[in-house]
Amino acid sequence: MSERPDTISAEHADRVPDIVIITGMSGSGRTQAMHVFEDMGYFCIDNLPPSLIMQLAEIIGINTGVGRHLCVTSDLRSQGLFDELLDTIETLRDHEMTCKVLFLEASDEVLIRRYSENRRRHPLAKRGDTMADAIQRERMALASIRERADLVIDTSRMRTATLRRRLQNAFSELSDEQLMDVHVFSFGFKHGLPVEADLMIDVRFLPNPFYDPEMRTLTGLDEKVSNFVIDHPKTQEFLDAWFRLLDAVMPGYIAEGKPRLSIAIGCTGGQHRSVAIAEATGRYLERHQYHVSISHRDLAKANLRS
């Protein structure tokens, strides 16, 4: 099973900061953006006053060279936001930490519609205010921060998948493949279908080692069983088609911004064929730089006694 890199490469050092501060208009997608940073491996805190960022950075060890990154959201509910933000950035630079400010915005029309759909009250709305009044007040208050932001993104007409891609390109040292968590697992049909699978393939048509007494109590993790399954001409033909299918669909899932993908491979009992094919599938995806985990759901239920 492959692991994500702990440190960034030199070519990404200037692009990927130690700390990202997300701010901007309420309703512009700050929460969705923070979820993207979580998926990228950042340590994330919502609505943190800028004055506490330095303390938090030290607590999680950003300045110790462990390769961690921090993302916080901060809005006008934090009083004195702009002055605190500037002071915090200077303090971080004094401690040799890099920091970038991401500002999210959207048009008044879109923000009003989003609040209406969610039936939420604008956090800056005063008694007697219309939604447009509150939005305009917030926009004016954030104008100076917007001018100093390192990246401004208008989410008015932006799909969540597009926002994810923009943020990944700007703030991750990992490739598109490495950013997707792929879980490949085997299972046995006789133990029930997996409900969490995004892709499922049935390999019960492959030659079954169960009928060989020498392999009946072994599993697809044993070399003898694995070789029997993988080296069979029918399996080779299947794997060629299966891998070509993965080559075709995986980029599509990435383009849609899917952060996690579960691939289920089933045989009768989840002991021989599905285990061997799941291992081969995981290794193939790892060679193509995907972040892969492999497990075997029903292997503990297998009859391993003669």
Side-chain angles (χ1 to χ4, degrees):
M1 179 169 56
S2 64
E3 298 294 338
R4 293 178 188 266
D6 291 327
T7 57
I8 64 176
S9 63
E11 65 179 304
H12 294 98
D14 293 334
R15 181 164 65 82
V16 182
D18 297 315
I19 300 165
V20 176
I21 300 173
I22 304 175
T23 189
M25 299 295 296
S26 301
S28 60
R30 293 196 306 256
T31 299
Q32 289 88 338
M34 186 175 68
H35 291 163
V36 176
F37 281 95
E38 287 177 344
D39 291 336
M40 291 192 292
Y42 281 69
F43 186 95
C44 297
I45 296 291
D46 189 24
N47 197 30
L48 183 73
S51 59
L52 298 180
I53 294 176
M54 181 65 208
Q55 181 179 350
L56 179 60
E58 292 178 335
I59 290 174
I60 67 175
I62 285 181
N63 59 340
T64 62
V66 297
R68 299 192 71 175
H69 301 289
L70 171 65
C71 175
V72 302
T73 66
S74 192
D75 59 34
L76 284 179
R77 287 172 290 181
S78 302
Q79 298 299 316
L81 172 66
F82 186 53
D83 292 338
E84 286 187 12
L85 190 56
L86 292 180
D87 292 342
T88 296
I89 292 174
E90 290 303 318
T91 301
L92 293 171
R93 287 173 177 169
D94 290 341
H95 287 77
E96 298 184 347
M97 298 185 201
T98 56
C99 177
K100 289 187 178 180
V101 178
L102 167 65
F103 189 98
L104 300 179
E105 64 180 3
S107 68
D108 290 4
E109 178 185 0
V110 169
L111 293 175
I112 291 172
R113 187 184 72 241
R114 289 175 181 174
Y115 270 100
S116 176
E117 291 173 350
N118 295 327
R119 298 184 178 181
R120 292 179 53 215
R121 179 179 179 272
H122 193 284
L124 297 187
K126 297 180 180 179
R127 188 178 184 86
D129 268 354
T130 65
M131 182 63 70
D133 292 335
I135 291 173
Q136 187 61 25
R137 185 183 303 111
E138 182 181 32
R139 199 178 294 281
M140 293 176 63
L142 291 174
S144 56
I145 298 177
R146 185 186 186 282
E147 292 178 359
R148 299 293 295 271
D150 297 283
L151 178 62
V152 178
I153 297 179
D154 187 333
T155 66
S156 299
R157 302 180 182 276
M158 185 174 289
R159 298 173 60 224
T160 301
T162 305
L163 176 62
R164 173 178 293 274
R165 176 60 62 87
R166 286 283 305 276
L167 297 179
Q168 289 173 346
N169 289 340
F171 296 107
S172 177
E173 71 273 14
L174 302 179
S175 67
D176 291 339
E177 290 78 11
Q178 291 170 324
L179 283 166
M180 176 184 282
D181 286 316
V182 182
H183 180 209
V184 180
F185 66 98
S186 66
F187 73 96
F189 279 94
K190 72 178 184 180
H191 301 298
L193 294 175
V195 297
E196 70 274 26
D198 298 298
L199 289 175
M200 184 170 64
I201 190 75
D202 180 354
V203 297
R204 287 177 291 184
F205 65 91
L206 296 178
N208 194 350
F210 177 83
Y211 296 108
D212 186 327
E214 293 185 1
M215 292 187 284
R216 180 168 298 177
T217 59
L218 301 178
T219 78
L221 297 177
D222 292 298
E223 184 177 0
K224 186 171 186 178
V225 172
S226 178
N227 290 342
F228 174 88
V229 174
I230 299 298
D231 292 343
H232 195 281
K234 184 178 293 186
T235 305
Q236 289 295 307
E237 182 181 358
F238 160 71
L239 287 177
D240 180 64
W242 173 231
F243 292 160
R244 282 190 284 111
L245 174 63
L246 291 175
D247 290 342
V249 302
M250 296 298 284
Y253 285 119
I254 290 175
E256 284 298 308
K258 192 172 181 63
R260 289 169 292 278
L261 184 73
S262 294
I263 301 176
I265 300 171
C267 64
T268 303
Q271 177 180 343
H272 296 110
R273 293 166 291 180
S274 62
V275 173
I277 298 300
E279 291 287 327
T281 300
R283 290 193 298 269
Y284 178 80
L285 292 173
E286 283 181 333
R287 289 196 298 272
H288 287 73
Q289 305 304 311
Y290 289 95
H291 182 246
V292 180
S293 61
I294 306 172
S295 65
H296 305 289
R297 191 193 73 175
D298 298 323
L299 199 55
K301 303 173 186 176
N303 180 16
L304 303 182
R305 293 180 297 175
S306 300

